[in-house]
Amino acid sequence: MNNQTDVTEFIFLGFSNHPNLQGLFFLIFLVIYLTTLLGNTLIITSTRISSALHTPMYYFLSNLSFLDICYTSTTIPVMLMNFFREKKTISYDCCLSQVFFLVTCAGAECVLLAAMAYDRYVAICHPLQYPVLMSVKVCVFLVTGSWLCGLVNSVTHTVLAATLTLCGPNQISHFLCDIPFLLKLSCSDTSLNESVLHVASALIGLSPCLFTAVSYILIISAILRIPSVQGRSKAFSTCASHLTVVVVFYGTANFNYDRPREGYSLDMDILVSVLFCVMTPMLNPIIYSLRNKEVKCALRKLVAVEEIGASERLSGTPKATQVSRSEARESQLTSAPGPSIPYLASRHVKMLAPVAKCSSCKAPPTPGSRGAAHRHVSHCGHLLSMTVQMLSQSSSRNSQAPECNPTQEAPFHPV
């Protein structure tokens, strides 16, 4: 315990106005927490397994999902335990620990969202330079920088909060510990803490927000210059999910921290904080999975493969058979049968006729009906081999295309 404080624990007053609804609140927040863990874990797993998602955009998304898991795991478990306590308390050391992790995750998410906006700006406004501007080193640097920004900001605030003199009362009108609540309970001078808080809000909160806004102004202006409607729709679909997440995050954060504290009831304060601290991490994977074709395709593929493996394990199928069947099923998800080679060869006779002559009859193929072309192909093995070779090359090129990835981006291998 800090030597400059007489307070050893804090009492949370959040949800205390409804003592008869504690069980209902527990079930609601338990479902929200489990949904958050499941959704973000699926996003992380799908981005690691699916080769179509090995791009900078989904590398950032997996880090965002990990941030959301850390953010909710800092607050919701303590809240769930307090629903069954008559006196909802948290120790002084645990309160400072909660402040440290909350500020770290919130600051890192602000910077990470700005990095994701830069990624979308480069992809749409400078597509030819995308592999260079968004290389593996650049992506790792941006993610590491976002974590370092949140960590430095959090260490500064936590150290300054530990120097506060807390003489009482020890009641926090909320369900979590945060810097403004500790400053309100302090009986010492808080001018330094408030100054640092304003500077950090400008650097970690306002600057990434402005950078993201400017990036999307440039992105939208570039999209509007695309002549075709289909091209504009495809370009906008690549950044719609991130734009939605940015609006939800900064909208709830602004309403939570920048609104006047006077004139609002405790229930309204709790509701606003729940929207920012609890609902936003749960909505992020839902937004990305609903509005993103690549993520939906990867999740469907992941679930299908898991169902096949589970059913075969229950049926006692040998491991080798399980692997072969799983691979066959996976190939069915990404491929479809096509016409036969002779039929395709007969269709390509007219295309080959102007540029090729048969080595057997020393004459170009005779144009005519499909039946005549097919008879010539059947008679002339040389032309058939040329056609089959061309089709094989075309098929091999198509098979190398990434699965379920309508918007191509540069190859990316973060690990």
Side-chain angles (χ1 to χ4, degrees), residues 43-44 47-48 52-65 112-113 115-124 130 134-136 138-140 142-143 216 219 234-245 284 287-289 291-296 405-414:
I43 292 291
I44 295 174
T47 54
R48 297 302 181 193
L53 302 184
H54 289 174
T55 62
M57 173 178 160
Y58 298 107
Y59 176 62
F60 292 136
L61 177 58
S62 62
N63 282 273
L64 179 64
S65 297
L112 185 61
L113 289 175
M116 297 174 73
Y118 173 72
D119 169 71
R120 294 298 86 204
Y121 164 75
V122 175
I124 294 176
Y130 187 83
M134 295 304 299
S135 62
V136 176
V138 173
C139 294
V140 173
L142 291 175
V143 170
Y216 271 103
I219 289 172
K234 186 176 181 180
F236 184 76
S237 65
T238 62
C239 58
S241 299
H242 177 254
L243 181 59
T244 305
V245 169
N284 287 348
I287 293 172
Y288 270 98
S289 60
R291 300 188 59 89
N292 196 293
K293 294 180 181 179
E294 292 91 342
V295 175
K296 287 191 291 186
N405 190 15
T407 54
Q408 292 285 342
E409 293 186 3
F412 183 79
H413 303 283

Side-chain angles (χ1 to χ4, degrees), residues 337-347 374 391:
S340 62
I341 289 294
Y343 173 71
L344 289 175
S346 65
R347 294 187 60 189
H374 187 74
L391 292 175

Side-chain angles (χ1 to χ4, degrees), residues 341-342 344-345 348 352 377 381-395:
I341 289 294
L344 289 175
H348 284 78
L352 290 174
V377 170
H382 176 66
L383 183 58
L384 178 60
S385 64
M386 290 175 58
T387 308
V388 172
Q389 182 181 6
M390 184 191 67
L391 292 175
S392 300
Q393 293 174 354
S394 176
S395 176

Side-chain angles (χ1 to χ4, degrees), residues 51-301:
S51 59
L53 302 184
H54 289 174
T55 62
M57 173 178 160
Y58 298 107
Y59 176 62
F60 292 136
L61 177 58
S62 62
N63 282 273
L64 179 64
S65 297
F66 181 72
L67 265 175
D68 288 335
I69 292 177
C70 296
Y71 195 82
T72 54
S73 298
T74 305
T75 57
I76 297 185
V78 177
M79 186 196 314
L80 293 176
M81 289 189 295
N82 282 332
F83 281 130
F84 293 101
R85 294 177 179 175
E86 184 176 355
K87 189 177 181 182
K88 310 177 190 305
T89 61
I90 185 173
S91 65
Y92 177 81
D93 294 332
C94 290
C95 183
L96 287 182
S97 300
Q98 192 177 69
V99 168
F100 172 79
F101 288 108
L102 275 177
V103 177
T104 299
C105 295
E109 187 161 350
C110 288
V111 181
L112 185 61
L113 289 175
M116 297 174 73
Y118 173 72
D119 169 71
R120 294 298 86 204
Y121 164 75
V122 175
I124 294 176
C125 299
H126 303 282
L128 298 180
Q129 300 176 344
Y130 187 83
V132 177
L133 296 178
M134 295 304 299
S135 62
V136 176
K137 291 183 179 180
V138 173
C139 294
V140 173
F141 174 78
L142 291 175
V143 170
T144 305
S146 64
W147 279 99
L148 287 178
C149 288
L151 186 62
V152 171
N153 181 47
S154 179
V155 169
T156 304
H157 287 301
T158 306
V159 170
L160 290 176
T163 62
L164 295 174
T165 302
L166 303 174
C167 308
N170 63 340
Q171 295 179 343
I172 297 178
S173 299
H174 217 278
F175 60 86
L176 55 84
C177 290
D178 204 355
I179 298 296
F181 305 132
L182 296 182
L183 296 180
K184 194 174 182 181
L185 296 178
S186 175
C187 54
S188 59
D189 183 25
T190 60
S191 57
L192 177 60
N193 301 69
E194 293 174 355
S195 300
V196 173
L197 184 61
H198 292 315
V199 172
S201 299
L203 294 178
I204 305 296
L206 183 60
S207 297
C209 181
L210 293 178
F211 180 85
T212 304
V214 172
S215 298
Y216 271 103
I217 291 175
L218 298 176
I219 289 172
I220 293 174
S221 63
I223 291 176
L224 294 178
R225 291 195 298 268
I226 299 176
S228 65
V229 177
Q230 183 179 4
R232 289 196 296 266
S233 176
K234 186 176 181 180
F236 184 76
S237 65
T238 62
C239 58
S241 299
H242 177 254
L243 181 59
T244 305
V245 169
V246 167
V247 171
V248 171
F249 177 80
Y250 282 109
T252 55
N254 181 70
F255 194 62
N256 185 48
Y257 289 106
D258 296 337
R259 64 186 176 86
R261 294 294 174 182
E262 293 77 14
Y264 290 91
S265 64
L266 177 61
D267 291 339
M268 179 59 67
D269 290 337
I270 297 300
L271 177 61
V272 172
S273 297
V274 165
L275 291 177
F276 174 68
C277 301
V278 179
M279 297 301 296
T280 301
M282 183 190 71
L283 292 177
N284 287 348
I286 296 176
I287 293 172
Y288 270 98
S289 60
L290 290 179
R291 300 188 59 89
N292 196 293
K293 294 180 181 179
E294 292 91 342
V295 175
K296 287 191 291 186
C297 181
L299 290 177
R300 284 197 299 265
K301 185 176 177 181

Side-chain angles (χ1 to χ4, degrees), residues 329-357:
R329 176 57 180 165
E330 186 175 352
S331 64
Q332 292 176 4
L333 293 172
T334 57
S335 63
S340 62
I341 289 294
Y343 173 71
L344 289 175
S346 65
R347 294 187 60 189
H348 284 78
V349 168
K350 290 185 179 180
M351 183 178 68
L352 290 174
V355 296
K357 289 187 179 182

